[in-house]
Amino acid sequence: MIATEYRTLIVALNCAPASRPFVTAWLDEDTRETVTFGEFRRRARLQAALLGNHGVGVGDRVVVIMPQGIPAMTIFVGAMMLGAVPAIIAYPNFKVEPSKYSFGLAGVTANLRARVVVIDQEFPEDLLGHISLGEETTLVRAGDAAGDGGEEEMPDPGNQPDSLAFIQHSAGTTGLQKGVALTHAAVLRQVESLVRVLKIDGGSDRVYSWLPLYHDMGLIACFILPMVCHMPVVMQSPLDWVMHPETMLQILSEYKCTLAWLPNFAFQFVPRRTPQSRWAQYDLSSARALINCSEPVRASSMDEFYRAFASIGLKPDALQSSYAMAENVFAVTQSDIHQSPARMWADGQRFRAEHFIAPVAGGTPGAMSFVSSGRLLPNNEVRIISDTGEVLSQGSVGEILIKSDCMFEGYYNRPDLTSEVILEGWYHTGDLGFYLDGELYVVGRKRDLLIIGGENIYPQDIEEVVCSHSAIHDGRAIAMGLYNPDLGTEEIIVVAEVEQEQLLNDVSSIEREIRSLVVASSGVAVRTILLKPPKWIVKSTAGKAARSATREKLLKEHSEFNTGS
């Protein structure tokens, strides 16, 4: 039992075989670096010594703003070795809106009140002023920990299972300023549950990841889980993967990786951005669980990935699903790894009008498809409630509430935000879904729900259809509701990025085709479609389309949509 075998995360790391490979940082075909568990421990101890020289001690916060890689990981662990509480913050890149990043950076660093903020030598000078440095905060440029020293174990700082281990930020963004503080015990209990349901074997499994370390998928599933389970992980930077998505197939094939966690869009992005003529040179037979952690999980995305790569060894039951969030350390549910995630069809009209799931046969006119996010992990509970707080029965759609033995106790230094979401021991996720036959289905975010003519419309459903058009960039469409005072209801506006700017010369035909696709798939009419050039939509630090920020940008540029409501 992991949670009882290891008192803390550092104890788990110290028990790893010194010669076993831990992290492989993959830069390109010719440049990669692998460190063993023994070498990783040594470098982490050197980083701990450097932090200690700057006065870092038990309970101090250490903010790490570093590019993805082994140095950031060793600083993070080095802080924990001192009993300090590290937090990894997104590193700036060209895909993130500068003003949004600066605002979020200032807010997060102010909230954490860190003893030390660690940045690399290339951190942009113009952003230094946005790092909130209190009187007791020191800004440190990261030093080299690849030299001599670090062989001796460090003295125990007195970490206990209920001591804070680290802080991860909710929703993969710095802007929300929701620091999720997690104890060693909570994290170890989560890892133990994942090991049990995924049948993880540190001696034979290997993780692949391009996920950012400031996001729960990257931090927990692809760093902490391998560290505790003494399992190798092959890692590349998120930016490199986005620029060259085919590298995912290359790394999975070369290193025979068995596990990976991915957002929904990756299941479409990789086959669409990899020339079909090169598919046959890869081998995905080693993959036993490629886990879709998005809300919702899209059947069309999973099917597209399987159709593309079944011929190169991908097994149908290798495509899995999970419902995960920082507030629960990571996973709440996981699909059965011995079979594909459960799917069901429901009456689309009743779903939109009544928020009720009435199962129908697949292919029924007007039916909607739903993919399960899996069954609850051990010691996790779920409730579905209405807007009035009533607990709903199976098949009714409402807000998802969770309770578990690894749930967070509150947002760091934000009792105001905590009191809004933890009520009577239940965390109100803000996600909408339904529970049926022991499976949890997530259908969207409560705050994103559009009420159009009395019907419940999920923007993700419309966005999926819009992005299916060949002229639209994958994952770069946002549907929103804007109030029409003449009609007394909201109408749907869609803004989408085209693949290439020259496509804007053919706006009329593209808009007409998209309207037809949306009506045919959902019976919903779109008032306005706005096609924009590449890179127009605002991105979050996680690289996702930022819904609220894009809405603000749209209203600034299109005054005709400002109705005063």
Side-chain angles (χ1 to χ4, degrees):
M1 299 288 285
I2 287 173
T4 53
E5 183 179 356
Y6 305 130
R7 187 166 50 88
T8 69
L9 296 171
I10 299 304
V11 171
L13 172 62
N14 288 338
C15 290
S19 61
R20 180 175 292 179
F22 180 21
V23 182
T24 296
W26 194 95
L27 300 179
D28 56 43
E29 291 184 5
D30 302 316
T31 310
R32 72 274 311 267
E33 178 188 14
T34 297
V35 295
T36 62
F37 278 92
E39 175 63 11
F40 185 90
R41 283 194 294 261
R42 189 188 70 80
R43 294 190 190 185
R45 289 168 188 153
L46 286 176
Q47 294 290 6
L50 293 172
L51 291 171
N53 291 339
H54 289 284
V56 173
V58 175
D60 289 334
R61 274 78 60 210
V62 175
V63 173
V64 182
I65 314 176
M66 299 271 292
Q68 187 104 336
I70 295 169
M73 298 167 79
T74 55
I75 293 169
F76 186 87
V77 171
M80 285 196 289
M81 287 178 169
L82 295 172
V85 183
I88 295 178
I89 305 300
Y91 194 78
N93 66 70
F94 71 89
K95 297 181 77 68
V96 177
E97 185 84 7
S99 60
K100 179 181 174 65
Y101 179 85
S102 299
F103 176 78
L105 180 63
V108 171
T109 52
N111 181 57
L112 294 181
R113 303 170 192 169
R115 169 72 67 177
V116 165
V117 175
V118 185
I119 59 176
D120 71 332
Q121 299 295 330
E122 285 75 42
F123 190 87
E125 294 289 334
D126 59 330
L127 290 175
L128 289 177
H130 296 286
I131 299 176
S132 296
L133 299 176
E135 293 181 0
E136 299 182 353
T137 303
T138 303
L139 184 67
V140 176
R141 296 275 184 178
D144 183 15
D148 295 331
E151 282 82 7
E152 295 183 4
E153 285 198 26
M154 297 185 59
D156 186 349
N159 278 335
Q160 298 298 320
D162 59 354
S163 299
L164 285 186
F166 55 80
I167 295 171
Q168 62 177 350
H169 281 83
S170 176
T173 177
T174 56
L176 292 179
Q177 302 171 33
K178 293 180 178 178
V180 177
L182 299 169
T183 66
H184 289 271
V187 177
L188 288 168
R189 285 192 291 266
Q190 167 77 195
V191 169
E192 184 173 297
S193 293
L194 290 173
V195 168
R196 189 184 309 177
V197 298
L198 293 173
K199 309 291 191 258
I200 288 174
D201 181 344
S204 60
D205 277 316
R206 179 178 279 109
V207 173
Y208 161 74
S209 177
W210 55 261
L211 299 166
L213 291 172
Y214 56 82
H215 190 281
D216 57 324
M217 273 201 289
L219 180 61
I220 304 299
C222 305
F223 177 11
I224 300 300
L225 175 68
M227 186 179 86
V228 173
C229 295
H230 310 156
M231 177 169 51
V233 55
V234 185
M235 185 176 294
Q236 65 178 145
S237 88
L239 199 57
D240 286 345
W241 176 80
V242 167
M243 301 300 291
H244 308 287
E246 184 179 351
T247 53
M248 172 177 151
L249 303 177
Q250 182 178 349
I251 295 171
L252 285 169
S253 300
E254 179 181 346
Y255 287 90
K256 304 298 180 186
C257 296
T258 59
L259 301 169
W261 286 259
L262 299 164
N264 189 84
F265 84 91
F267 290 90
Q268 294 175 307
F269 193 62
V270 172
R272 293 181 188 182
R273 301 297 166 138
T274 304
Q276 190 168 350
S277 61
R278 293 208 289 268
W279 291 357
Q281 70 187 58
Y282 300 116
D283 177 8
L284 299 188
S285 60
S286 65
R288 66 181 189 85
L290 304 180
I291 304 169
N292 187 329
C293 290
S294 290
E295 308 94 31
V297 174
R298 295 290 180 185
S300 59
S301 304
M302 304 281 269
D303 291 344
E304 182 173 343
F305 192 87
Y306 179 70
R307 284 195 303 269
F309 303 127
S311 63
I312 57 171
L314 181 66
K315 298 177 282 290
D317 59 1
L319 299 182
Q320 295 290 319
S321 61
S322 174
Y323 177 49
M325 65 192 68
E327 289 83 354
N328 201 51
V329 180
F330 181 53
V332 178
T333 66
Q334 173 60 51
S335 55
D336 186 340
I337 62 168
H338 299 298
Q339 59 189 37
S340 299
R343 298 188 184 191
M344 58 92 60
W345 293 81
D347 185 309
Q349 179 61 34
R350 293 196 66 184
F351 172 73
R352 289 190 292 269
E354 305 172 33
H355 252 175
F356 182 76
I357 299 300
V360 297
T364 301
M368 296 183 67
S369 173
F370 297 95
V371 180
S372 167
S373 289
R375 294 180 175 272
L376 291 167
L377 265 60
N379 303 313
N380 280 251
E381 301 176 61
V382 67
R383 278 182 181 174
I384 309 296
I385 66 166
S386 68
D387 289 338
T388 61
E390 175 191 359
V391 178
L392 299 174
S393 58
Q394 287 203 49
S396 294
V397 178
E399 184 178 5
I400 300 170
L401 275 56
I402 66 163
K403 180 189 288 188
S404 80
D405 64 351
C406 54
M407 193 178 85
F408 80 134
E409 296 179 359
Y411 295 117
Y412 191 79
N413 275 343
R414 295 303 301 266
D416 54 331
L417 296 177
T418 301
S419 63
E420 293 175 2
V421 296
I422 298 182
L423 302 173
E424 298 179 352
W426 290 87
Y427 171 60
H428 292 236
T429 67
D431 291 322
L432 293 171
F434 60 94
Y435 197 61
L436 191 65
D437 298 330
E439 303 270 352
L440 181 64
Y441 296 79
V442 185
V443 299
R445 290 289 291 168
K446 185 177 180 180
R447 69 183 181 200
D448 296 338
L449 183 66
L450 309 177
I451 310 297
I452 309 295
E455 290 196 345
N456 300 295
I457 306 296
Y458 290 83
Q460 295 89 347
D461 294 336
I462 296 171
E463 292 157 5
E464 180 184 20
V465 175
V466 173
C467 288
S468 70
H469 193 285
S470 60
I472 304 303
H473 191 296
D474 298 334
R476 293 292 181 257
I478 289 183
M480 63 190 79
L482 293 177
Y483 185 72
N484 184 329
D486 296 329
L487 297 178
T489 188
E490 286 191 327
E491 291 186 306
I492 298 173
I493 309 294
V494 171
V495 58
E497 286 182 10
V498 292
E499 284 279 15
Q500 300 172 329
E501 194 156 357
Q502 56 263 41
L503 289 169
L504 295 175
N505 296 325
D506 193 23
V507 165
S508 296
S509 62
I510 295 174
E511 287 183 358
R512 184 169 57 252
E513 290 167 3
I514 290 175
R515 286 180 192 279
S516 297
L517 286 171
V518 174
V519 170
S521 66
S522 63
V524 175
V526 176
R527 171 189 169 188
T528 304
I529 298 172
L530 298 168
L531 299 180
K532 297 293 184 180
K535 301 182 181 180
W536 186 91
I537 286 177
V538 180
K539 316 299 189 302
S540 73
T541 54
K544 298 179 182 178
R547 193 176 297 278
S548 59
T550 298
R551 180 188 180 99
E552 292 174 9
K553 182 176 181 179
L554 180 73
L555 293 177
K556 285 181 181 177
E557 292 189 10
H558 294 269
S559 57
E560 67 271 23
F561 295 130
N562 288 291
T563 62
S565 62

